[in-house]
Amino acid sequence: MAFEVKKPGLATTVQDLGRPGYYHLGIPLSGAMDQEALIAANLLVGNDAGAAGLELVFMGPELVFRDDALVAVTGAELPPKVDGAPQPTWTTFTVKAGQTLSFDYLRKGARAYLAIAGGIDVPVVLGSRSTYALGALGGFQGRKLAAGDVLPVGAPQRQVPAGRSLHVSLRRNGLEDPAVLRMLPGLYWHRITEAAQGGFFADTWKVAPEADRIGYRFKGGNPLEFVPREPPFGAGSDPSNIVDACYPYGSIQVPGGTEPIVLHRDAVSGGGYFMLGTVISADMDLIAQLQPHKPVKFVPVEMEEALEARAERKAEIDKIKAALA
Amino acid sequence: MATRYSYGGDEHIFVEVDEEMSLDAFFKSLSITKAVRESQIKGVAEVCPANASFQVKFDPDVIKPADMLAELKKLEDQAAHSEAVIDTRIIEVPVFYEDPWTHETLMRFRERHQDPNSTDLAYTARINGYASNEELVRAHSGAPWFVSMVGFVAGLPFLYQMVERARQIESPKYLRPRTDTPKLTVGHGGCFGAIYSVRGAGGYQMFGITPMPIYDPKQETPYLRDFMVLFRPGDIVKYRSIDRDAYDAAIADVEAHKFYPTMRDVRFALDEFKTDPGAYTGKLEDLLHGV
């Protein structure tokens, strides 16, 4: 089984649930930025939760199928079409050999996930099929898709009918306005003044155009004021510099104190900018669905609340698994 | 040195061994991370050593954050009593200083530099008190460097010069980062060296380029067939200045899959190094060249 890429879309990549274990050598997790959406898409078509699918960003691709395939599209509201005929999202449908799967314009969210029964069968590299484009690793030839690429699809593992749907209550693709990202203050939080700490939460930030799998940049808040210091040896003279250290996934760095960057699944693993805290694990998937210019508020939480949110999210995914078992 | 612990969200613990860089802080970080790996604590997902700090990623569904923190503090106490001795490798890295490719790039981003009328190397030589570019190159390639961290992007080594602090080369990063850096650029920022493993953005001063692959996701390079990343924290690097002919010859060998770096296993003892850095690194270099 295979399909051919007629038009690649904006930044379409092969992703599974990621490649843990190599961050200490600078190779990040990668994998679907909205993990819940990819899991739902996979389970809908009868794949294992961690099969490889396509992550579609802002603008979908045009794909010509060489064999009949059962597919599902979840995540952002990016309406699929088969030979021009509209198809439902969060629902399985069939694409027949020779037919073209394309997408209407984006209605909501930022990243949609396409699962194909059997999963995309690119080689497993360091335990994962995910694309890490910065390192030219994994996925399809280590890069985003291009016109003319032919991607192999595995053999379907289970027979699942077309028209199988995930109940609306279990679909997550809406975001509040402004969107709320909960974070645990910490790391180098003490480097900014109390007034700046308060201001960071009081300000409404907007997603900047520089928002990708490596990190999301935010604009529009007030510059952060630093606590004066003698620069430690090796850190550099800018008040936002630190001796180069590891960056947690979800950590919020603010180079020069002006524009916060939240690192995501293709994170640079370390560097010399201070971080003021970390977005909690439960809210990482939400970032995947933020469009440029979307207003965002950062809200501080304690560890206990972060763990409760994590448990709630796990329960949510368990419900999806139960519904599609 | 005062160790500082902080949670990085609900999945990471960040440990700053010291706010400033030193070999003592680096060795302490390296020995605690080694202890964490060997301890087999359930729930540990990733252990990432950095220059003077480290990070542990863990699964809070398996081990509570507070329990993970307590385990790390225990290991820190044990590590404080361990000897700073490591078995490691010394690896020679040939460098074509002031090469045409980094030169073209640094000219392209000149308006982002502190000194638009100079080159990165000439600027660094001047602010560090060297009389000429050649003198800086001699200092840069004279003493070995520790790989104190691997990261930023896949396989990129951060390097710390093994000389007394007063003699360490220091330079600021670009005023605004470049959007382009040639692959295998040998750079410098703050007190750290770096070898850019992939082409991409960067803020370090660019001194030259090495023909020697250090990251190969296709694993066609003979010495990267077992694993695609060459460097590990704790490796020792010795630069060797080469000219255009030697660079071209090395590239031809790389393309024919016939290039092998010169490297030797060595034992490094921090106390002996600190007693007489010059003599100690001289011995390491003799070892590298089989004297």
Side-chain angles (χ1 to χ4, degrees):
Chain A
M1 299 231 312
F3 63 90
E4 187 184 335
V5 179
K6 201 102 189 232
K7 288 184 187 162
L10 204 59
T12 305
T13 54
V14 176
Q15 301 292 348
D16 57 18
L17 295 181
R19 178 181 290 115
Y22 304 95
Y23 204 41
H24 65 293
L25 298 173
I27 301 173
L29 261 181
S30 302
M33 283 181 71
D34 185 343
Q35 300 259 298
E36 185 174 319
L38 177 64
I39 290 170
N42 271 327
L43 296 178
L44 273 167
V45 299
N47 289 347
D48 290 338
L54 291 184
E55 181 174 89
L56 322 176
V57 191
F58 305 143
M59 205 175 91
E62 237 178 80
L63 311 171
V64 181
F65 281 69
R66 294 189 171 173
D67 309 88
D68 295 359
L70 186 77
V71 306
V73 178
T74 62
E77 200 56 30
L78 188 70
K81 296 183 287 187
V82 173
D83 280 352
Q87 304 293 325
T89 52
W90 301 89
T91 303
T92 56
F93 58 90
T94 308
V95 187
K96 291 214 174 332
Q99 286 188 317
T100 300
L101 174 63
S102 65
F103 295 85
D104 211 333
Y105 68 88
L106 181 68
R107 304 287 156 75
K108 202 161 62 171
R111 283 175 180 79
Y113 292 85
L114 168 68
I116 303 169
I120 295 173
D121 196 19
V122 293
V124 174
V125 181
L126 301 179
S128 164
R129 294 186 169 90
S130 289
T131 312
Y132 167 47
L134 198 55
L137 184 74
F140 186 82
Q141 299 181 3
R143 57 166 172 80
K144 64 182 185 183
L145 299 189
D149 291 347
V150 177
L151 277 80
V153 176
Q157 290 165 298
R158 295 171 199 87
Q159 278 301 319
V160 172
R164 185 190 198 209
S165 192
L166 184 66
H167 192 268
V168 179
S169 64
L170 295 175
R171 303 174 186 181
R172 190 177 65 171
N173 62 0
L175 283 169
E176 298 160 61
D177 215 13
V180 170
L181 295 178
R182 290 169 289 184
M183 63 86 90
L184 200 67
L187 305 170
Y188 291 84
W189 180 238
H190 57 277
R191 284 292 302 120
I192 55 172
T193 62
E194 230 170 275
Q197 293 176 347
F200 178 72
F201 295 125
D203 287 341
T204 299
W205 298 86
K206 275 190 174 164
V207 176
E210 304 91 340
D212 58 22
R213 295 186 45 85
I214 299 170
Y216 257 63
R217 187 184 279 259
F218 297 86
K219 286 182 172 196
N222 287 299
L224 304 175
E225 196 198 344
F226 289 89
V227 174
R229 67 158 187 199
E230 209 33 60
F233 179 77
S237 50
D238 192 275
S240 69
N241 285 153
I242 57 169
V243 169
D244 293 60
C246 301
Y247 289 153
Y249 296 105
S251 61
I252 308 166
Q253 56 177 275
V254 195
T258 55
E259 294 177 356
I261 299 168
V262 179
L263 292 179
H264 218 279
R265 297 186 71 94
D266 281 3
V268 290
S269 68
Y273 290 114
F274 97 108
M275 303 154 271
L276 46 71
T278 310
V279 173
I280 65 173
S281 62
D283 286 355
M284 287 297 283
D285 280 12
L286 296 180
I287 296 173
Q289 300 303 350
L290 297 175
Q291 289 180 5
H293 309 300
K294 172 89 179 170
V296 170
K297 291 277 247 191
F298 292 97
V299 172
V301 295
E302 307 262 344
M303 180 61 86
E304 207 174 314
E305 200 180 331
L307 293 176
E308 276 166 25
R310 185 184 173 87
E312 278 167 24
R313 229 181 97 52
K314 209 168 162 238
E316 228 174 82
I317 292 176
D318 286 344
K319 268 194 219 162
I320 295 174
K321 287 182 175 166
L324 298 174
Chain B
M1 280 199 293
T3 307
R4 189 172 67 80
Y5 290 83
S6 177
Y7 292 117
D10 48 320
E11 294 186 333
H12 308 84
I13 291 177
F14 178 81
V15 185
E16 185 188 68
V17 174
D18 198 355
E19 212 185 2
E20 65 171 30
M21 181 58 190
S22 67
L23 277 182
D24 291 290
F26 164 64
F27 265 86
K28 191 169 170 190
S29 154
L30 200 64
S31 71
I32 305 173
T33 50
K34 189 163 163 265
V36 177
R37 266 194 221 102
E38 285 165 359
S39 70
Q40 308 273 323
I41 302 167
K42 281 210 176 74
V44 170
E46 307 239 17
V47 185
C48 303
N51 297 308
S53 60
F54 66 91
Q55 174 182 301
V56 175
K57 184 166 190 280
F58 64 98
D59 181 350
D61 301 334
V62 177
I63 183 167
K64 284 191 199 130
D67 294 343
M68 187 70 232
L69 193 68
E71 293 281 354
L72 292 181
K73 285 185 169 164
K74 246 190 278 170
L75 292 170
E76 186 206 344
D77 288 341
Q78 290 166 21
H81 303 294
S82 71
E83 239 185 309
V85 176
I86 54 168
D87 288 312
T88 183
R89 308 177 291 182
I90 183 165
I91 304 169
E92 185 174 80
V93 177
V95 185
F96 180 16
Y97 289 94
E98 299 185 273
D99 66 279
W101 305 282
T102 60
H103 185 80
E104 185 278 323
T105 309
L106 68 89
M107 291 314 285
R108 194 149 36 97
F109 292 99
R110 217 63 214 135
E111 86 289 353
R112 302 185 184 206
H113 194 272
Q114 288 81 359
D115 187 354
N117 297 316
S118 180
T119 64
D120 292 10
L121 194 139
Y123 166 74
T124 306
R126 181 164 57 75
I127 64 167
N128 283 275
Y130 291 104
S132 66
N133 294 358
E134 292 69 33
E135 262 193 44
L136 178 84
V137 168
R138 264 200 296 280
H140 191 262
S141 58
W145 302 64
F146 251 116
V147 175
S148 52
M149 174 170 166
V150 178
F152 179 57
V153 293
L156 182 151
F158 285 82
L159 302 133
Y160 187 69
Q161 204 179 7
M162 295 167 70
V163 293
E164 297 85 345
R165 185 176 284 189
R167 288 179 54 211
Q168 281 184 322
I169 299 165
E170 280 190 88
S171 61
K173 293 158 195 167
Y174 270 48
L175 295 174
R176 284 183 298 127
R178 297 176 304 271
T179 53
D180 194 16
T181 310
K183 185 173 146 183
L184 294 174
T185 290
V186 174
H188 196 85
C191 68
F192 293 105
I195 305 171
Y196 285 84
S197 51
V198 297
R199 184 178 176 179
Y204 278 27
Q205 309 283 338
M206 295 182 289
F207 292 168
I209 199 161
T210 176
M212 183 176 127
I214 62 168
Y215 168 67
D216 179 7
K218 293 194 177 132
Q219 294 185 275
E220 287 164 352
T221 306
Y223 57 93
L224 297 176
R225 271 191 196 135
D226 287 341
F227 196 71
M228 59 184 74
V229 170
L230 175 63
F231 289 113
R232 305 280 179 279
D235 280 339
I236 296 170
V237 162
K238 176 72 174 56
Y239 292 121
R240 182 166 61 89
S241 177
I242 58 168
D243 61 14
R244 177 70 193 251
D245 288 346
Y247 176 85
D248 288 344
I251 288 288
D253 282 349
V254 167
E255 280 165 5
H257 300 158
K258 285 192 312 196
F259 182 92
Y260 286 90
T262 305
M263 59 173 127
R264 299 273 183 277
D265 291 334
V266 291
R267 170 163 289 189
F268 180 88
L270 183 59
D271 283 344
E272 287 174 43
F273 166 78
K274 286 203 304 201
T275 312
D276 188 348
Y280 194 80
T281 54
K283 266 194 272 176
L284 289 177
E285 205 181 332
D286 287 348
L287 244 155
L288 175 66
H289 295 114
V291 178

